[in-house]
Amino acid sequence: MKLQDKNWAKLDGANGKLYDVSIPLLKMEQSTDPAAHAAIWQELWNNLHQHGKVGLASYLAIPQLVRITKEKGIIDWNLFALCSIIEQKRHENNNPDLPPAAQKYYQQGLTELNTLAMEAIKTDQEDTLFVTALAAIATCSGRTRLGNALIQLEDEQVLEEFLEQF
């Protein structure tokens, strides 16, 4: 689905209300300003995932986020973390089913996300990017619980508590 498609305005975000995710996605696509990208990521986090809830806008944003990231050549931990969490939550908490017509589109986005994540871990990345890329690889391969655990362990305090137990 192209970002200019009017159907974006008919999709629910994480809070169950209509959220036209094409607006921030177009801004991300057109901007090269890191501060603008940070604000866009914050908006996407606030509207595509809330308290374990996701919506159809969340699902359909993934292929676009991957495409924009690839085109810009800017790999960001937010991509891996947000997309992983959306896919993890898609399977829980009575979140909406992925419509059959969108399954191929969505799966292609996950496949490309997995490829980007595999490329990212081959380079010397900072810890957050590395861990969220690993989480994306796990999540995209159907290991959603492992992907979730990796994201949780990215928090230094959680990691320390975990290591103290083992």
Side-chain angles (χ1 to χ4, degrees):
M1 190 159 68
K2 295 191 184 297
L3 291 178
Q4 294 76 14
D5 192 310
K6 296 193 184 310
N7 287 320
W8 287 103
K10 300 174 185 175
L11 302 175
D12 286 341
N15 61 8
K17 296 179 184 174
L18 293 178
Y19 175 62
D20 188 347
V21 70
S22 71
I23 295 169
L25 291 173
L26 280 166
K27 288 178 185 174
M28 181 179 277
E29 184 176 58
Q30 296 166 355
S31 175
T32 56
D33 178 22
H37 278 225
I40 293 166
W41 279 116
Q42 187 61 50
E43 177 181 340
L44 293 172
W45 275 103
N46 290 338
N47 289 284
L48 297 180
H49 171 259
Q50 286 185 2
H51 309 291
K53 296 292 186 187
V54 293
L56 294 180
S58 309
Y59 303 152
L60 298 182
I62 289 177
Q64 292 294 330
L65 285 167
V66 173
R67 177 190 62 78
I68 292 166
T69 298
K70 283 175 63 175
E71 288 176 1
K72 292 206 160 288
I74 301 171
I75 303 297
D76 189 305
W77 70 268
N78 285 290
L79 172 75
F80 299 127
L82 181 59
C83 292
S84 293
I85 289 172
I86 290 168
E87 170 59 6
Q88 292 161 13
K89 298 307 176 188
R90 183 173 72 90
H91 301 284
E92 7 176 297
N93 299 330
N94 298 318
N95 284 310
D97 291 331
L98 184 63
Q103 288 181 356
K104 183 177 179 182
Y105 175 74
Y106 182 79
Q107 189 56 50
Q108 181 180 0
L110 289 182
T111 299
E112 291 178 17
L113 178 68
N114 188 55
T115 301
L116 274 178
M118 291 174 110
E119 290 172 9
I121 63 169
K122 291 178 185 176
T123 62
D124 186 23
Q125 301 292 344
E126 51 90 19
D127 288 351
T128 300
L129 181 59
F130 188 82
V131 171
T132 57
L134 287 175
I137 292 167
T139 300
C140 291
S141 65
R143 295 169 180 91
T144 57
R145 290 182 61 201
L146 177 59
N148 183 281
L150 287 165
I151 287 175
Q152 299 304 316
L153 289 173
E154 194 283 322
D155 180 313
E156 201 61 41
Q157 183 177 352
V158 173
L159 179 59
E160 287 301 321
E161 290 173 10
F162 174 80
L163 292 174
E164 286 175 10
Q165 295 178 22
F166 297 97

